[in-house]
Amino acid sequence: MENDGIYKTIGKNIKKYRKLKSITQEQLAQMANLSYGYIKNLEAPNVNATISIESLNLIAKCLDTTIIKLLDDA
């Protein structure tokens, strides 16, 4: 998998799990103590946003999922 491909996968999965919990990007940002713009950029398919393991872990916990599931390319 290309390096930028993993970030697109993470963004797609964050969006998927966020929608499963019926929360907005703004709500997720507040729950994870991250900015709305950051969450918005992570989910945007045409933006190459990077993410730290710490932020990924925070988001996973807020979405009641795991880092592994956010990395899943299936």
Side-chain angles (χ1 to χ4, degrees):
M1 184 183 316
E2 297 175 8
N3 285 340
D4 65 339
I6 190 66
Y7 296 112
K8 291 185 190 308
T9 296
I10 290 168
K12 176 187 64 142
N13 286 331
I14 288 172
K15 184 176 184 177
K16 176 176 96 174
Y17 286 102
R18 180 179 59 76
K19 288 189 177 264
L20 285 173
K21 287 189 61 78
S22 299
I23 60 175
T24 65
Q25 291 176 330
E26 293 94 339
Q27 290 169 320
L28 176 58
Q30 187 174 33
M31 292 166 64
N33 199 27
L34 298 167
S35 74
Y36 161 69
Y38 183 64
I39 298 296
K40 183 179 174 183
N41 283 341
L42 285 174
E43 289 188 9
N46 58 341
V47 175
N48 279 335
T50 60
I51 186 168
S52 70
I53 296 295
E54 182 179 354
S55 294
L56 190 61
N57 189 46
L58 279 170
I59 291 169
K61 285 182 179 184
C62 291
L63 296 176
D64 296 323
T65 191
T66 64
I67 289 176
I68 299 298
K69 288 183 179 176
L70 294 181
L71 295 171
D72 189 8
D73 193 18

